[in-house]
Amino acid sequence: MKILFTASEAVPYAASGGLADVVGSLPKAIQAAGHECCVVIPLYKSISPELREKMTFVKNITVDVSWRKQYCGIFEAEWGDITYYFIDNEYYFSRDGLYGFYDDCERFVFFDRAVLEMLRYIDFKPDVIHCNDWQTALIPVYYNIYYKYQQGYDGIKNVFTIHNIEYQGKYGKEILNEVMGIPMYNANILEYDGYINMMKGAIESADMITTVSPSYAWEILDPWYAHGLDRILVTKQYKLKGILNGIDTEIYSPEKDTAIAGNYTADDFSGKAACKKALIEEMGLEPGDEPIIGIVTRFVNHKGIDLIRCAMEEIIGMGIKFAVLGSGERIYEEFFREMAARYKGRVALTLGFVPELSRRIYAGSDMFLMPSQSEPCGLAQLIAMRYGTAPIVRETGGLRDTVRDNGGIDGNGYTFKTYNANDMLDAIRRAKRDYDNKSAWSELMKRAMNCDYSWKASAELYIETYKELKEQ
Ligand code: GLC
């Protein structure tokens, strides 16, 4: 089979979150299983000159954005065994940052149409177009309205994956005709709760909706998690499934990682001590053997930072240190800044997104805290476990599906159920108690490192899904 992946970001070209990791690694795994994959993303300004140098120009075409005719350049590059295509238009994509602009809707309307138009000119006729999140949600919509009866487009199946239901692409109704170029008689596909909702359009139009963990697939049928989309999802359950994300175990490998101070494996993790020592020095923590909790996250509400705010001083009082990396909402940045100032040597903070430092935190910490309110899958806990760092997580979404509470015997981390700071504290206390028992802790680390976080099993589930669709 031939699968075209499309998204607004993909490692190594453009990344702001877990979506980029998935789009950068899942196609590889599917291709390794004997299918042909391509990826298409926008040609952003931030793509480095070294990566640009390796691109070749394919063609330029004109793409309709409602009544506008917009220039679209198509570029191509190989990364590993995968062909990447890039959609170029400097007006839309030559900006600082990936999203957050007043015209994001128009930018991705353009991108989505460009992806479909591009298929006429490249040497790749997909069996399946696999779309990801709201930025590519109009592809199944346009396919059904405009493309499926055109020559060369028949029989393509659309899969839409929800990585985070919070971001839906919701706009006023005027956008439908003026920007999307969709006639009023098709409004019902996109209309929802008085808005035009791009994700709702994909939920209606895609042949299969997937999300990134089995638990999240049923959580989003509940209003607490669904940000309004539960009603439509309940009616589309027959085509909804959850498939757990994997990570690129070549990139995230304590054995081979060159960004960390010492390499190690599940059989010999003496190198991890060197990583801890180096992290303490790099981030300016007090030396000593007390456990370090790593936090690498975007500072946004659903990551559960409010729980950390309630309990952080108490955790510090237990003799635990923090290595924090992230950025986001100002109120949280200020909170961590204040903690780092008040507890110098106990709380270390770097604001921003520094991939290399993040790996040194995964490797150098003892525990990794993710008390998310909701978590579609979460990759950080998988990476932490791969580096022998015990995750402490709330039982939600992919966290629930990947972390088993140690309970003193056979888990790979620590979990708590309710969104409550005391329950989180209890999990941290249990982790600290186990940490103080060195042989029990080594066993736990070993169990965490020995879990399989690769894409292998999940890639098979995606392939089965594509096959099922092809046979329909
Ligand atoms: C989003 C989700 C995260 C998931 C990632 C990749 O960032 O918030 O939970 O792991 O997408 O699917």
Side-chain angles (χ1 to χ4, degrees):
M1 275 180 306
K2 291 186 173 179
I3 300 105
L4 176 70
F5 282 87
T6 173
S8 56
E9 42 185 274
V11 164
Y13 296 98
S16 77
L19 170 64
D21 285 291
V22 171
V23 182
S25 53
L26 172 61
K28 264 205 261 183
I30 290 178
Q31 189 149 292
H35 303 277
E36 225 183 300
C37 296
C38 283
V39 180
V40 51
I41 62 166
L43 186 65
Y44 295 109
K45 181 179 169 185
S46 59
I47 296 178
S48 72
E50 299 80 62
L51 289 169
R52 268 173 199 266
E53 239 170 47
K54 302 203 179 82
M55 296 178 189
T56 52
F57 175 73
V58 178
K59 195 177 170 62
N60 67 303
I61 59 174
T62 302
V63 166
D64 290 350
V65 175
S66 188
W67 49 266
R68 306 162 196 79
K69 304 265 177 220
Q70 300 291 34
Y71 164 88
C72 168
I74 303 169
F75 286 79
E76 185 185 328
E78 300 293 322
W79 180 261
D81 293 332
I82 307 281
T83 303
Y84 279 74
Y85 291 99
F86 302 89
I87 299 295
D88 176 39
N89 177 302
E90 296 210 339
Y91 167 65
Y92 289 129
F93 299 125
S94 188
R95 306 184 188 185
D96 295 323
L98 306 186
Y99 340 102
F101 302 102
Y102 77 97
D103 57 348
D104 277 358
C105 176
E106 185 181 328
R107 296 169 72 224
F108 288 98
V109 161
F110 164 75
F111 178 73
D112 290 1
R113 289 220 63 160
V115 169
L116 285 161
E117 283 299 320
M118 176 186 84
L119 296 180
R120 299 182 207 281
Y121 307 101
I122 61 170
D123 187 20
F124 188 85
K125 164 123 188 354
D127 297 293
V128 176
I129 304 182
H130 191 147
C131 309
N132 296 276
D133 274 354
W134 73 268
Q135 296 92 340
T136 51
L138 287 183
I139 291 176
V141 177
Y142 285 134
Y143 177 77
N144 282 351
I145 300 179
Y146 292 128
Y147 290 85
K148 83 173 168 202
Y149 301 110
Q150 289 190 39
Q151 198 180 2
Y153 284 88
D154 54 310
I156 299 177
K157 298 291 177 181
N158 286 284
V159 173
F160 179 70
T161 297
I162 300 173
H163 294 260
N164 193 337
I165 205 160
E166 193 173 343
Y167 309 109
Q168 301 172 359
K170 261 163 103 172
Y171 298 97
K173 286 193 182 163
E174 62 286 356
I175 215 113
L176 186 73
N177 208 284
E178 181 61 17
V179 177
M180 295 180 171
I182 292 175
M184 279 313 284
Y185 57 79
N186 284 129
N188 62 321
I189 300 172
L190 287 137
E191 245 176 11
Y192 196 67
D193 285 346
Y195 293 96
I196 293 302
N197 185 320
M198 292 166 75
M199 192 176 265
K200 189 266 185 176
I203 293 170
E204 287 278 359
S205 309
D207 300 291
M208 182 65 74
I209 309 154
T210 73
T211 185
V212 288
S213 70
S215 289
Y216 197 62
W218 55 260
E219 283 176 350
I220 54 177
L221 303 176
D222 185 307
W224 203 79
Y225 286 102
H227 294 269
L229 286 175
D230 45 297
R231 281 173 291 114
I232 175 75
L233 280 168
V234 164
T235 69
K236 303 291 174 196
Q237 267 183 76
Y238 66 91
K239 58 172 183 180
L240 170 67
K241 65 164 105 172
I243 300 178
L244 198 63
N245 283 336
I247 52 173
D248 189 325
T249 46
E250 288 293 305
I251 296 181
Y252 296 112
S253 160
E255 197 177 351
K256 297 185 201 142
D257 197 332
T258 52
I260 60 177
N263 291 108
Y264 54 98
T265 63
D267 297 322
D268 172 12
F269 34 73
S270 47
K272 191 165 166 66
C275 294
K276 181 167 178 177
K277 193 159 170 277
L279 181 68
I280 287 176
E281 273 164 29
E282 177 176 3
M283 292 194 81
L285 286 166
E286 284 166 9
D289 185 45
E290 305 84 11
I292 299 178
I293 290 187
I295 297 175
V296 178
T297 185
R298 281 179 298 125
F299 296 155
V300 292
N301 188 40
H302 81 93
K303 294 290 181 185
I305 303 184
D306 284 324
L307 296 193
I308 303 177
R309 282 213 294 175
C310 292
M312 193 147 175
E313 300 204 75
E314 203 161 326
I315 304 169
I316 296 167
M318 286 155 61
I320 292 176
K321 291 182 276 197
F322 281 91
V324 185
L325 171 65
S327 63
E329 284 171 30
R330 183 144 163 218
I331 174 167
Y332 298 129
E333 290 194 356
E334 268 168 17
F335 162 71
F336 282 118
R337 217 183 266 141
E338 189 186 323
M339 285 292 129
R342 202 182 299 166
Y343 297 99
K344 216 166 177 313
R346 312 230 107 230
V347 177
L349 169 70
T350 300
L351 285 175
F353 177 61
V354 191
E356 240 118 76
L357 175 60
S358 77
R359 284 199 252 153
R360 292 196 282 270
I361 293 179
Y362 290 121
S365 305
D366 302 289
M367 302 162 191
F368 192 86
L369 184 58
M370 269 178 101
S372 304
Q373 219 167 46
S374 64
E375 196 61 72
C377 177
L379 302 175
Q381 84 279 16
L382 304 179
I383 304 170
M385 288 189 276
R386 176 115 172 101
Y387 284 81
T389 300
I392 302 169
V393 306
R394 191 175 93 79
E395 289 170 29
T396 182
L399 298 174
R400 181 176 177 278
D401 294 339
T402 55
V403 182
R404 262 176 304 121
D405 192 273
N406 192 34
I409 25 178
D410 69 346
N412 54 8
Y414 298 85
T415 71
F416 62 99
K417 225 183 194 92
T418 31
Y419 190 67
N420 170 311
N422 283 316
D423 288 8
M424 179 185 79
L425 266 171
D426 179 61
I428 294 173
R429 262 190 220 109
R430 288 186 290 115
K432 167 81 167 58
R433 194 187 54 210
D434 288 353
Y435 177 84
D436 291 337
N437 173 348
K438 288 294 166 222
S439 70
W441 192 256
S442 303
E443 290 304 312
L444 169 77
M445 281 165 64
K446 203 178 262 179
R447 277 196 297 276
M449 290 184 78
N450 279 333
C451 295
D452 180 8
Y453 306 111
S454 74
W455 271 107
K456 216 163 182 296
S458 298
E460 279 307 321
L461 296 176
Y462 277 111
I463 292 166
E464 262 171 43
T465 306
Y466 305 146
K467 278 193 183 141
E468 268 167 41
L469 291 178
K470 275 317 282 179
E471 281 159 15
Q472 270 174 16

